[in-house]
Amino acid sequence: MTPIACHECDLLLMPLELSAARSQAYCPRCGARLYGCHHDRLEKILALTVAALTLLVTAISFPIVGLDIQGHYAETTVLDAAQALWREERGLLAGLVLLTTVLMPLFELGAVLWLVLPLWRGWRPWGFARVFRLLRLAQPWAMVEVFVLGVLVSLVKLSHLADVLPGPAMACFGGLMALLAALSVLIDPPALWQAWDAARPLPFAGGALRRFRKARA
């Protein structure tokens, strides 16, 4: 669990030490406001996550761009582009495209659902600290904005050779980029730990833990 440093007096506090203030927290030494939690924060995170998952699945399924060269039309998706790179013996580049554009955003959104959905229902998710740590490690690898920028540069360079027609996946990736940025602002570690402290343990998780302890005794 990452401690919180007061921006006024540099006092280090653990998030669970501040759980008494349900909507906001103040430094006990200087009284500075550390953070505030909106009651609808979890609902906003869930709504944005579901919307981002929908856009991600749509962006993977539909073409990114189409090329019309002298009457011959061709289009490609992200998975098709990765397969083409693999066939051209550029396996490392194909893996990076899949990792940063598909797998890491999918893992990030899945981890957010794993953490926030039980908290929204009033339960503590299993493996909260471990999953949250993995989420923070995965966030820098979700480079949707880099992919979108690369596609836009390629479109500009190909515009004098063929008629370039952006596909529906381009708009989906643009929306996904905006939603991921909004999620990074809403997902506040102290607020999530505060919600975890106020939630109840999962009943089946507690029973499984007791059975495990009895088996080891």
Side-chain angles (χ1 to χ4, degrees):
M1 189 184 308
T2 304
I4 302 172
C6 176
H7 58 275
E8 295 292 340
C9 65
D10 295 329
L11 177 65
L12 291 179
L13 296 166
M14 300 302 291
L16 292 182
E17 298 179 37
L18 307 170
S19 60
R22 294 302 174 187
S23 59
Q24 53 190 356
Y26 295 89
C27 176
R29 185 163 68 184
C30 68
R33 185 175 181 271
L34 299 177
Y35 65 87
C37 299
H38 302 287
H39 296 292
D40 58 347
R41 179 184 291 267
L42 296 181
E43 288 86 349
K44 290 180 180 179
I45 294 176
L46 283 177
L48 291 178
T49 304
V50 172
L53 278 173
T54 304
L55 288 178
L56 179 58
V57 173
T58 306
I60 296 172
S61 305
F62 286 87
I64 311 170
V65 65
L67 295 177
D68 190 356
I69 306 176
Q70 298 180 352
H72 297 282
Y73 182 76
E75 58 185 16
T76 183
T77 64
V78 175
L79 299 180
D80 294 335
Q83 289 178 357
L85 290 172
W86 181 267
R87 288 194 297 267
E88 294 179 3
E89 298 183 355
R90 298 182 179 180
L92 180 59
L93 185 57
L96 286 175
V97 170
L98 286 178
L99 180 69
T100 59
T101 309
V102 179
L103 297 180
M104 284 297 104
L106 187 61
F107 175 81
E108 180 180 349
L109 295 174
V112 172
L113 281 181
W114 180 275
L115 295 174
V116 177
L117 186 58
L119 292 176
W120 177 63
R121 301 292 296 175
W123 299 100
R124 294 178 179 177
W126 179 83
F128 179 85
R130 185 175 302 145
V131 175
F132 188 76
R133 190 178 299 113
L134 292 175
L135 172 63
R136 299 300 294 269
L137 291 175
Q139 283 176 337
W141 289 94
M143 303 180 184
V144 177
E145 64 279 1
V146 177
F147 176 78
V148 172
L149 181 61
V151 172
L152 291 177
V153 172
S154 301
L155 293 181
V156 173
K157 290 186 176 181
L158 292 174
S159 60
H160 68 285
L161 300 176
D163 294 331
V164 180
L165 304 174
M170 277 296 298
C172 293
F173 273 120
L176 177 63
M177 182 174 57
L179 291 180
L180 289 177
L183 280 173
S184 66
V185 174
L186 279 178
I187 298 176
D188 184 37
L192 291 183
W193 278 108
Q194 180 186 12
W196 180 89
D197 185 52
R200 305 181 303 274
L202 288 170
F204 63 87
L209 182 61
R210 286 192 295 269
R211 289 193 297 269
F212 176 76
R213 289 176 177 175
K214 288 181 180 179
R216 293 192 61 183

